[in-house]
């Protein structure tokens, strides 16, 4: 009883959204459009934008066309380029927050430290850096690209120069004339290298695995085009649908017939040959795996930058730091004044999972220790009234994640409608938890389809794969298929948990906890 004695002092909301990037703001807009106003958006930073706020490195831009990388319900006729830069995308998200009246719901500088499910009250207790609140439902929209990953390199702590990650760019540090080492050759590095190459004294790029790079067909969108999209909005919609349709047609090769990607490989080779005349450098830059196994990168300036006289490519990963000397795994040594890590993010081991404690008293990270699993990319067994946007197996290799997000918002909206129909609007009356059997069945189906995809058969190791080698990141189908699969909630896949029978909930929790303990013992 004492635990809940102070409940009247704490704020309670029907829905708490965590994160204010595309997923979080999209969820907030959808809640408003569904007639719900009893929600908050918890954001650890001092402004909205998510990955497009955090990633402000030189050259940062989207590799999906702007008219497809925006909400269908918030078209922007004024995109300046076919592939818009970071500041325009961030400005778009600020515009969405204003246009849809989201500001009153935003709780900026509220970092979520713990989310704990209360089996008795059937609600979530949320501890933030600015206090505690409770919620009936949590929508976690922290995104997979929110927590930078810097590898543990022996001697890195003793490096006398500047060190930072691409997602935490130090704009106060002047790179002009410096010896700069860039670690990694992913999507960020491919944009950073050509952006900083003209101003640095020497640039050394450490490459563990060469990426496949296709030309980036980018151009300014003319004033006439923008006026047309403003005057006749359906023209912007047609443009978006054309971009979508082209990418849907590509999915078959990625997911069912990877051998059909040979033509794309030849185009990527031609892109390299055009800029890289040195056969030795070209050999270092030629991947040994099927195109598409790792994300295909888009750049028309990356290869020309690598051919410049002030750039060195080390075809090996960084293994050790000795003072200002960087030592590669192949023994190559180079000097640096600054190290920029373009080494990606915690994707298959999202740190937010450590902060979610479910019905059995275990964290989401513990529940997912053998690999992330969810029902339809949204809900997790043992975590009632909790859902995630861009959850396990929702990632795309060739299209816009906004399409996936909007499909998940459909699922979220129906989830809340179903909960409301069961009496869930009255706090603590009812909850929905996905049945473990339904989660297993969905993931078995996804993993079976995954076996034929280029991500699993292409001969590479990528961030799509977890430590067990399972692809828990990508979606092995079209965005249209995903939309159909998440159009509505099938209540048969869920257990309805009611406050009227706490002893039943307790027994189930004890059984699950016992099963968890038994599993841990067998692992030992």
């Amino acid at each position: 009883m004492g635990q809940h004695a102070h409940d009247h002092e704490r704020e309670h909301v029907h829905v708490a959204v965590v994160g204010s990037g595309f997923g979080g703001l999209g969820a907030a807009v959808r809640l408003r459009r569904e007639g719900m106003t009893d929600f908050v958006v918890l954001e650890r930073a001092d402004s909205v934008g998510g990955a497009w706020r955090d990633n402000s490195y030189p050259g940062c831009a989207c590799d999906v066309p702007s008219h497809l990388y925006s909400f269908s319900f918030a078209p922007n006729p004024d995109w300046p380029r076919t592939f818009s830069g970071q500041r325009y995308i961030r400005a778009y998200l600020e515009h969405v927050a204003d246009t849809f009246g989201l500001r009153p719901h935003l709780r900026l500088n509220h970092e979520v430290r713990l989310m704990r499910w209360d089996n008795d009250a059937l609600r979530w207790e949320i501890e933030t850096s600015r206090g505690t609140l409770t919620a009936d439902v949590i929508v976690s929209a922290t995104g997979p690209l929110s927590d930078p990953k810097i590898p543990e390199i022996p001697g890195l702590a003793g490096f006398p120069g500047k060190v930072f990650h691409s997602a935490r760019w130090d704009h106060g540090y002047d790179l002009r004339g410096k010896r700069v080492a860039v670690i990694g050759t992913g999507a960020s590095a491919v944009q950073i290298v050509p952006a900083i190459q003209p101003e640095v004294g020497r640039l050394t790029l450490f490459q563990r695995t060469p990426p496949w790079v296709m030309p980036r067909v980018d151009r300014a969108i003319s004033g006439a085009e923008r006026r047309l999209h403003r005057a006749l909005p359906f023209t912007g919609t047609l443009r978006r649908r054309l971009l979508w349709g082209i990418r849907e047609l590509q999915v078959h090769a990625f997911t069912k017939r990877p051998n059909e990607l040979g033509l794309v490989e030849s185009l990527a080779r031609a892109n390299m040959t055009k800029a890289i005349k040195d056969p030795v450098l070209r050999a270092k830059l030629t991947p040994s795996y099927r195109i598409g196994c790792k994300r295909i990168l888009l750049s028309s300036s990356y290869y020309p930058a690598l051919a410049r006289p002030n750039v060195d490519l080390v075809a090996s990963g960084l293994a050790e730091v000795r003072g200002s000397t960087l030592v590669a795994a192949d023994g190559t040594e180079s000097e640096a004044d600054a190290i920029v890590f373009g080494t990606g993010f915690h994707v298959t081991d999202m740190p937010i999972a450590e902060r979610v404690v479910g019905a059995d008293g275990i964290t989401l990270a513990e529940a997912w220790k053998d690999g992330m699993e969810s029902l339809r990319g949204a809900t997790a067994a043992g975590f009632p009234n909790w859902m995630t946007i861009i959850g396990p197996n929702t990632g795309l290799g060739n299209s816009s994640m906004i399409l996936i997000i909007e499909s998940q918002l459909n699922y979220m909206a129906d989830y809340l409608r179903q909960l409301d129909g069961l009496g869930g609007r009255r706090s603590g009356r009812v909850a929905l938890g996905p049945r473990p059997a339904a989660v297993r069945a969905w993931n078995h189906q996804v993993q079976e389809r995954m076996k034929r995809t280029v991500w699993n058969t292409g001969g590479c190791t990528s961030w799509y794969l977890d430590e067990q080698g399972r692809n828990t990141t990508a979606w092995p189908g079209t965005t249209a298929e995903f939309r159909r699969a998440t159009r509505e909630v099938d209540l048969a896949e869920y257990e309805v948990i009611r406050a009227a029978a706490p002893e039943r909930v307790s027994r189930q929790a004890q059984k699950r906890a016992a099963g968890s303990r038994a599993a841990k013992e067998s692992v030992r």
Side-chain angles (χ1 to χ4, degrees):
M1 288 294 291
Q3 181 181 347
H4 305 292
H6 303 290
D7 277 3
H8 65 281
E9 298 173 8
R10 288 190 295 191
E11 180 182 17
H12 178 80
V13 293
H14 185 45
V15 181
V17 179
V18 185
S20 69
F22 269 98
L25 293 182
V29 171
R30 188 57 184 268
L31 290 171
R32 288 293 303 257
R33 297 179 88 187
E34 292 287 322
M36 295 185 193
T37 55
D38 185 16
F39 70 91
V40 294
V41 179
L42 303 170
E43 169 55 56
R44 66 184 177 186
D46 60 4
S47 61
V48 303
W52 294 105
R53 175 199 59 236
D54 297 341
N55 288 269
S56 60
Y57 58 79
C60 183
C62 191
D63 59 2
V64 174
S66 306
H67 285 86
L68 193 59
Y69 198 79
S70 44
F71 290 122
S72 64
F73 53 78
N76 177 18
D78 290 312
W79 288 116
R81 302 192 67 82
T82 50
F83 292 89
S84 292
Q86 173 263 343
R87 68 188 181 98
Y88 295 103
I89 299 172
R90 183 180 180 184
Y92 170 77
L93 289 170
E94 294 279 3
H95 173 74
V96 167
D98 290 329
T99 302
F100 291 92
L102 305 183
R103 299 288 177 190
H105 300 278
L106 293 175
R107 301 295 163 83
L108 303 176
N109 297 307
H110 278 62
E111 181 175 9
V112 172
R113 292 176 173 166
L114 187 67
M115 295 171 269
R116 184 185 297 277
W117 176 251
D118 186 326
N119 280 313
D120 298 325
L122 294 190
R123 64 186 182 190
W124 287 92
E125 293 184 354
I126 307 167
E127 294 178 18
T128 79
S129 55
R130 302 283 287 273
T132 307
L133 70 154
T134 58
D136 298 320
V137 179
I138 285 178
V139 177
S140 179
T142 57
L145 307 182
S146 56
D147 290 280
K149 179 187 285 186
I150 293 182
E152 293 183 11
I153 307 291
L156 181 61
F159 180 68
K162 193 73 179 175
V163 178
F164 51 88
H165 190 278
S166 59
R168 300 291 184 268
W169 195 271
D170 187 343
H171 291 279
Y173 182 76
D174 190 356
L175 294 175
R176 283 178 298 184
K178 299 289 199 311
R179 298 169 299 177
V180 180
V182 176
I183 316 301
T185 51
S188 299
V190 161
Q191 295 179 342
I192 291 167
V193 167
I196 68 171
Q197 175 270 319
E199 64 181 63
V200 302
R202 185 123 216 115
L203 195 157
T204 305
L205 178 63
F206 285 78
Q207 168 194 274
R208 280 196 310 180
T209 311
W212 284 104
V213 183
M214 293 287 285
R216 180 188 178 91
V217 188
D218 185 26
R219 64 172 179 83
I221 296 175
S222 69
E225 288 174 274
R226 291 192 237 175
R227 286 192 295 274
L228 177 66
H229 294 330
R230 275 198 300 272
L232 302 171
F234 77 88
T235 61
T237 303
L238 284 175
R239 185 175 190 154
R240 177 187 176 89
R241 286 181 178 167
L242 179 62
L243 292 166
W244 167 77
I246 291 169
R247 280 154 182 78
E248 290 289 273
L249 292 173
Q250 297 168 350
V251 172
H252 187 77
F254 281 83
T255 59
K256 293 178 180 175
R257 298 185 182 277
N259 289 333
E260 292 181 359
L261 291 164
L263 174 61
V264 186
E265 275 184 22
S266 64
L267 293 173
R269 281 199 179 92
N271 181 44
M272 184 199 305
T273 304
K274 181 180 171 185
I276 306 295
K277 304 304 180 186
D278 177 2
V280 176
L281 180 57
R282 205 158 57 223
K284 290 180 180 179
L285 291 169
T286 302
S288 59
Y289 55 88
R290 174 64 80 194
I291 195 168
C293 184
K294 288 175 176 280
R295 189 174 181 93
I296 301 171
L297 306 182
L298 301 181
S299 178
S300 298
S301 55
Y302 177 64
Y303 287 140
L306 294 184
R308 302 300 296 168
N310 68 330
V311 177
D312 294 314
L313 177 74
V314 177
S316 183
L318 178 61
E320 186 183 356
V321 178
R322 299 174 190 157
S324 60
T325 303
L326 310 189
V327 185
D330 66 0
T332 304
E333 295 186 4
S334 53
E335 298 293 312
D337 302 307
I339 303 175
V340 177
F341 282 96
T343 44
F345 301 84
H346 291 274
V347 176
T348 59
D349 57 340
M350 292 186 286
I352 193 70
E354 298 277 2
R355 306 180 185 194
V356 186
V357 181
D360 304 338
I362 64 171
T363 66
L364 187 62
E366 291 173 305
W368 282 352
K369 69 181 186 301
D370 295 325
M372 299 190 298
E373 279 192 339
S374 68
L375 177 59
R376 302 180 187 274
T379 56
F383 297 82
N385 283 12
W386 181 91
M387 58 176 26
T388 183
I389 307 294
I390 313 185
N393 291 114
T394 59
L396 298 175
N398 74 313
S399 194
S400 172
M401 282 305 299
I402 313 306
L403 301 168
I404 292 290
I405 288 171
E406 289 196 25
S407 294
Q408 293 200 285
L409 298 183
N410 290 340
Y411 195 76
M412 176 198 77
D414 196 53
Y415 184 99
L416 291 168
R417 281 187 220 111
Q418 299 278 8
L419 199 60
D420 192 18
L422 294 165
R425 276 288 182 102
R426 289 171 292 163
S427 178
R429 301 292 296 178
V430 67
L432 286 173
R435 297 180 184 276
V439 176
R440 284 195 298 271
W442 172 259
N443 281 277
H444 176 73
Q445 175 189 335
V446 168
Q447 292 302 323
E448 282 298 304
R449 292 183 64 181
M450 199 68 74
K451 289 177 181 176
R452 298 168 63 185
T453 68
V454 69
W455 309 305
N456 281 36
T457 64
C460 72
T461 301
S462 73
W463 59 265
Y464 296 136
L465 309 179
D466 63 17
E467 289 183 353
Q468 283 77 35
R470 287 176 69 231
N471 190 328
T472 58
T473 305
W475 166 245
T478 65
T479 61
E481 285 179 282
F482 189 80
R483 177 155 291 211
R484 287 194 295 272
T486 53
R487 183 172 289 132
E488 57 188 17
V489 169
D490 179 1
L491 275 182
E493 295 181 326
Y494 285 85
E495 176 188 6
V496 178
I497 306 166
R498 294 189 180 276
E503 71 285 346
R504 181 173 65 87
V505 176
S506 178
R507 280 201 305 273
Q508 288 168 344
Q510 288 169 2
K511 281 174 67 178
R512 284 197 292 263
S516 176
R517 285 195 297 272
K520 287 178 182 176
E521 290 299 325
S522 67
V523 170
R524 293 192 191 116

